Amino acid sequence: MNKLDLFSDHHLVRQSLAAVIEIAEAFKLEKGRMPVLMEVCGSHTMAFARSGIKQRLMDHVKLIAGPGCPVCVTDQKSIDAMIQLADEPDTILCTFGDMMRVPGSASTLMKAKTEGKDIRVVYSPLESVKIAQQHPDKEVIFLGIGFETTIPILALAIREAEKMELHNFTIWMTTKLVEPVLRELLDAGEVKVDGFLLPGHVSVVLGKTSYDFLMKEYQVPGVISGFEPVQLLTGMYKLIDLLHNQKVDILNDYTHVVKEHGNAVARELLHTYFEFGDEAWRGMNVIPKSGLVLKDQYARFDAKKKFNVAVKEPRKVKCRCGEIIRGLINPEECVLFNKGCTPVHPIGPCMVSSEGTCAAHYQYMREE
Amino acid sequence: MAQRISMAHGEGGELTHELIKNVFMKYFHNQTHARLDAAILPWNSNEIVMTTDSYVVKPIFFPGGDIGKLAITGTVNDLAVSGAKPVAITAGFIIEEGFSIRDLKEIVKSMALEAEHAGVQIIAGDTKVVERGSADGVFINTTGIGQLFEQRLEPDAITEGDTVIISGPVGEHGVAIMSARKELGLITDMTSDCASLHHFIEEVVTNVKGVRVMRDPTRGGLATTLVELCEDFRFDLELEESWIPVPDAVHGACDILGFDPLYLANEGKVVFIVEAEQAKKMMEVIKSHPLGASAQVIGRVKSCDNASGKLYLKTPIGTTRRLFRLSGMLLPRIC
Ligand code: SF4
Ligand code: SF4
């Protein structure tokens, strides 16, 4: 049996599930309510829905999807700006696929592409550097969205562009950091969570210690978890076990990839090219120092400095993505869910992104 | 002969003739049928099955095949899963100006080879050349004609308990195409499962009674194909997730990219729905053929009367959720 089989193995999954239910029930007996856990990562949200774990645990654990999807947390104004960027003359806009159908106030990148704008889906920012090299007569702009997982690759792209002495490559930085948004959520106190299931990939870069603030400053425990059903369940078990025993700790349940202090090389890369910057989050206003922006000495790679896009105030829509990513409502509570808003005709990013909460509910938790 | 396709290759003159002679006729060499503008075929019309499909795969060459092979296998398989033996195929080419004639030859050769394996004749064709930029290398349309097998399918006889069988693991073509694009930073040596299935299918269908219906889960993958089948014939189906064979490389690629293997394309697989009593025998027959060596029973028909055509998936943790058509996920164009 290989590792993948092991993680999704039948019996193991069922055993772990039974264990989670047992400990959740014990918690319930004591507290008179279900434990409330937030999964921060969008891939966890998807995996919970896809595996059926969320549906199965409905009566035992309250699972709330947090602000972990990089597409969903992108502010509407940023999205409008990105779409507008495509209007710049002689540009090639490169983006991750998920952004293509995200609705801006008036258009989408997909629509702009069908109107003849040169917009290309790439799987890595490094590809866009190559494109810039092949098209010296064009401006190549990469739409840099993402969390700590993606940002090191953005840094790599800049390093490449630097080496190649490219003058036609820039990144439109609108990256997000996990810590500031968790602080924001906890400080706002709108959503009450007992503990966090912490994202696997982000932690590879950051390391376990980066979450110490949760336990030290907020007395909230967390467990770093992998993505396979068994991993999700053992992560949950450990988290509820902490809660049940009234222990506040940060545990690493993804030890074969996440190290105590993360990936020093990746962090070093980040610090070479970027510094903290204020970022606007969907539904949450600007959170100070919640993103990374290019340092001044790399301004030539900064699309925000090179191109002047003025965007109007975004059009107001009934989309409740802002509340979704703050963990305040379930997708089904949005009147547009599966009515005006579907993956084919999305109103908000949460329905288009492959890590979006509404998309997860639409794809995996809907009956009709 | 020229090295590259020029607009003149599509004008119908000397160069067109040269192209037909040196590329198409050279490999497709069909003397009997290709003398007139249309091919005259010898059968009774109620036995004839016909299908058409266009192939626009990118990249044109991928591990395990190329657009030419795909154009033949795709059409052969469409006929085979409709219960017919493929007999003749026509091929229409839309070629972009500047396309390399060497590559075209490669493609045509592999079509000819695949057609020979499959025992079908390429009997007519068409070539158009379009200006640089108005197509992506080469597009191929194939139309296939087939003759019904003696053993007929019985989709109307589908009943509760009928067994669903897949001839092998899912997702290989999808992953092979994605990694061939090298865009993904995916390092897998997965080859496409692209293959003509009709000899295999004919063997199964003639040796086992009770085959209700078949489909090849190409674009949209196993899930979309089965949703369509459920809707077309009005029955509800339940799959067991843990029974569905998914290779590790497909699993891994899906994990990285956020795709679902049930929605990845296959080009050499077939799903059968068969009467429950015949399922065991059927598995023996399927497994004894190389194309079906890793076949699996993956589910069963849940209900027929008053069914509304839904597909369900039982997850390893014991919950059941509904599967829908591929929607919203942005898959790279693969076929
Ligand atoms: S980048 Fe990785 S860790 Fe972060 S939300 Fe996406 S899947 Fe989760
Ligand atoms: S269902 Fe659509 S409109 Fe409603 S919150 Fe989700 S994405 Fe926004």
Side-chain angles (χ1 to χ4, degrees):
Chain A
M1 192 186 288
N2 65 32
K3 212 150 81 186
L4 273 170
D5 288 339
L6 190 69
F7 286 139
S8 46
D9 173 76
H10 247 346
H11 303 288
L12 217 57
V13 171
R14 290 192 193 210
Q15 271 170 19
S16 322
L17 190 71
V20 169
I21 293 176
E22 199 184 310
I23 189 116
E25 286 307 307
F27 177 100
K28 229 160 127 186
L29 208 64
E30 202 182 294
K31 295 262 161 63
R33 62 170 177 87
M34 286 194 264
V36 182
L37 312 183
M38 176 177 271
E39 83 268 9
V40 180
C41 160
S43 294
H44 279 167
T45 304
M46 273 291 163
F48 272 130
R50 196 176 156 235
S51 61
I53 292 176
K54 180 151 181 169
Q55 297 88 313
R56 181 67 184 82
L57 291 179
M58 208 79 95
D59 299 329
H60 309 283
V61 182
K62 184 161 183 211
L63 262 176
I64 301 178
C69 162
V71 177
C72 303
V73 295
T74 305
D75 178 52
Q76 187 71 42
K77 222 168 164 175
S78 283
I79 290 172
D80 287 349
M82 292 190 239
I83 297 170
Q84 222 167 294
L85 263 185
D87 288 336
E88 294 289 324
D90 295 321
T91 50
I92 301 173
L93 207 59
C94 296
T95 173
F96 292 126
D98 267 357
M99 286 304 291
M100 289 300 283
R101 295 187 309 122
V102 172
S105 294
S107 185
T108 63
L109 289 171
M110 187 73 106
K111 202 157 152 242
K113 186 173 162 75
T114 58
E115 284 160 3
K117 304 285 155 47
D118 197 343
I119 301 174
R120 304 186 188 182
V121 173
V122 294
Y123 292 89
S124 155
L126 291 168
E127 275 170 60
S128 57
V129 178
K130 245 185 254 152
I131 295 175
Q133 191 191 22
Q134 288 157 356
H135 298 274
D137 51 327
K138 302 259 184 176
E139 281 294 334
V140 174
I141 310 170
F142 183 78
L143 301 181
I145 68 158
F147 281 93
E148 286 93 335
T149 337
T150 328
I151 313 178
I153 319 173
L154 297 180
L156 275 182
I158 291 168
R159 198 170 70 181
E160 276 300 297
E162 213 184 355
K163 264 198 230 147
M164 293 179 186
E165 295 177 22
L166 296 181
H167 295 284
N168 62 332
F169 176 78
T170 53
I171 298 185
W172 183 272
M173 290 288 287
T174 168
T175 56
K176 305 281 191 291
L177 303 174
V178 172
E179 178 176 334
V181 74
L182 291 186
R183 283 180 181 277
E184 176 80 12
L185 281 180
L186 291 166
D187 290 340
E190 293 171 308
V191 52
K192 297 263 178 288
V193 291
D194 294 314
F196 288 104
L197 268 174
L198 297 164
H201 302 142
V202 158
S203 312
V204 176
V205 177
L206 292 179
K208 170 177 165 288
T209 47
S210 63
Y211 302 106
D212 286 352
F213 75 97
L214 287 174
M215 90 180 152
K216 290 190 181 140
E217 295 175 46
Y218 294 91
Q219 287 76 50
V220 179
V223 175
I224 300 168
S225 167
F227 299 86
E228 291 293 323
V230 172
Q231 298 174 318
L232 290 169
L233 287 166
T234 54
M236 271 174 113
Y237 179 87
K238 289 187 179 167
L239 187 52
I240 304 172
D241 190 49
L242 285 178
L243 296 172
H244 184 54
N245 292 311
Q246 288 168 9
K247 278 202 207 129
V248 179
D249 202 353
I250 302 293
L251 301 180
N252 180 5
D253 199 37
Y254 201 29
T255 43
H256 52 285
V257 281
V258 175
K259 302 287 161 250
E260 196 70 9
H261 298 285
N263 181 332
V265 179
R267 274 202 320 274
E268 172 68 33
L269 253 178
L270 295 189
H271 293 132
T272 308
Y273 294 96
F274 304 117
E275 60 193 13
F276 292 112
D278 303 345
E279 273 291 330
W281 294 62
R282 181 176 293 265
M284 274 189 267
N285 302 322
V286 173
I287 305 178
K289 297 195 172 161
S290 64
L292 290 179
V293 295
L294 276 155
K295 286 186 179 168
D296 266 345
Q297 72 235 64
Y298 299 104
R300 62 185 187 283
F301 297 112
D302 191 338
K304 286 189 173 161
K305 300 220 164 99
K306 197 161 184 179
F307 304 93
N308 213 343
V309 286
V311 279
K312 289 195 258 91
E313 264 316 297
R315 190 165 55 94
K316 285 252 175 304
V317 287
K318 284 219 190 83
C319 172
R320 300 180 70 182
C321 282
E323 289 154 272
I324 299 265
I325 58 178
R326 264 143 62 217
L328 301 183
I329 62 163
N330 271 321
E332 289 78 4
E333 291 171 60
C334 170
V335 286
L336 296 172
F337 181 79
N338 195 15
K339 300 207 174 65
C341 182
T342 63
V344 182
H345 298 288
I347 308 284
C350 294
M351 189 55 100
V352 229
S353 165
S354 53
E355 292 176 20
T357 310
C358 297
H361 280 238
Y362 183 89
Q363 188 72 24
Y364 299 127
M365 293 179 66
R366 144 180 80 110
E367 204 1 59
E368 276 319 310
Chain B
M1 193 178 168
Q3 295 290 305
R4 295 199 170 271
I5 294 289
S6 70
M7 291 303 290
H9 279 108
E11 297 292 330
E14 194 52 45
L15 274 176
T16 311
H17 178 70
E18 195 182 293
L19 191 67
I20 293 176
K21 204 175 79 206
N22 294 340
V23 180
F24 299 120
M25 293 293 276
K26 179 164 171 201
Y27 298 108
F28 295 160
H29 44 67
N30 189 318
Q31 301 305 329
T32 16
H33 287 104
R35 284 179 304 176
L36 300 172
D37 259 1
I40 299 166
L41 301 167
W43 326 286
N44 221 334
S45 61
N46 60 8
E47 302 264 293
I48 296 182
V49 178
M50 192 166 163
T51 182
T52 189
D53 212 338
S54 300
Y55 297 84
V56 295
V57 64
K58 198 177 162 185
I60 287 168
F61 297 94
F62 51 84
D66 57 53
I67 191 171
K69 181 176 181 188
L70 201 61
I72 298 297
T73 58
T75 292
V76 160
N77 294 347
D78 281 346
L79 290 169
V81 294
S82 312
K85 179 202 203 68
V87 176
I89 285 183
T90 69
F93 290 79
I94 295 174
I95 314 172
E96 186 186 14
E97 175 186 21
F99 192 69
S100 130
I101 292 194
R102 223 183 57 214
D103 285 352
L104 183 63
K105 272 195 184 164
E106 278 305 305
I107 292 166
V108 168
K109 255 197 266 180
S110 91
M111 284 177 85
L113 192 70
E114 190 58 34
E116 193 186 311
H117 278 181
V120 285
Q121 308 225 32
I122 297 173
I123 54 164
D126 175 48
T127 313
K128 296 284 183 294
V129 175
V130 295
E131 259 175 80
R132 199 184 282 269
S134 26
D136 207 347
V138 59
F139 299 152
I140 303 176
N141 169 277
T142 45
T143 293
I145 297 185
Q147 192 171 16
L148 280 183
F149 297 140
E150 246 158 69
Q151 195 67 45
R152 300 293 153 89
L153 303 178
E154 312 162 316
D156 296 330
I158 291 174
T159 42
E160 198 180 313
D162 282 358
T163 307
V164 188
I165 295 171
I166 180 122
S167 64
V170 298
E172 292 169 342
H173 180 72
V175 170
I177 291 282
M178 288 191 285
S179 43
R181 288 183 181 164
K182 301 216 175 65
E183 295 160 339
L184 307 182
L186 269 190
I187 309 152
T188 81
D189 45 12
M190 179 115 277
T191 51
S192 166
D193 56 347
C194 175
S196 292
L197 295 167
H198 73 285
H199 291 310
F200 165 57
I201 287 178
E202 192 174 1
E203 195 175 311
V204 174
V205 176
T206 41
N207 283 305
V208 194
K209 282 201 200 57
V211 178
R212 313 288 202 202
V213 73
M214 302 173 266
R215 283 270 161 104
D216 53 337
T218 54
R219 237 182 345 174
L222 181 65
T224 307
T225 301
L226 287 177
V227 167
E228 270 157 16
L229 210 54
C230 289
E231 286 175 5
D232 290 351
F233 297 102
R234 290 258 140 203
F235 57 86
D236 294 346
L237 234 167
E238 185 169 83
L239 298 177
E240 278 283 349
E241 187 171 11
S242 54
W243 297 352
I244 302 171
V246 181
D248 281 351
V250 172
H251 238 311
C254 284
D255 269 358
I256 294 168
L257 302 167
F259 292 155
D260 186 335
L262 299 185
Y263 291 90
L264 287 184
N266 309 281
E267 292 292 348
K269 298 289 146 44
V270 51
V271 247
F272 299 91
I273 296 187
V274 61
E275 192 186 328
E277 280 96 78
Q278 298 295 326
K280 211 171 145 232
K281 167 111 191 277
M282 174 116 175
M283 279 297 280
E284 280 163 21
V285 176
I286 293 178
K287 281 187 160 271
S288 68
H289 193 285
L291 285 174
S294 21
Q296 294 276 357
V297 167
I298 54 171
R300 55 175 210 106
V301 173
K302 218 175 137 182
S303 59
C304 277
D305 307 328
N306 301 319
S308 44
K310 289 179 184 156
L311 178 64
Y312 295 97
L313 183 79
K314 215 152 131 220
T315 67
I317 68 163
T319 51
T320 304
R321 63 177 165 84
R322 222 183 126 183
L323 289 179
F324 300 88
R325 282 192 171 71
L326 177 67
S327 74
M329 285 184 223
L330 197 100
L331 282 174
R333 188 187 77 193
I334 39 182
C335 62

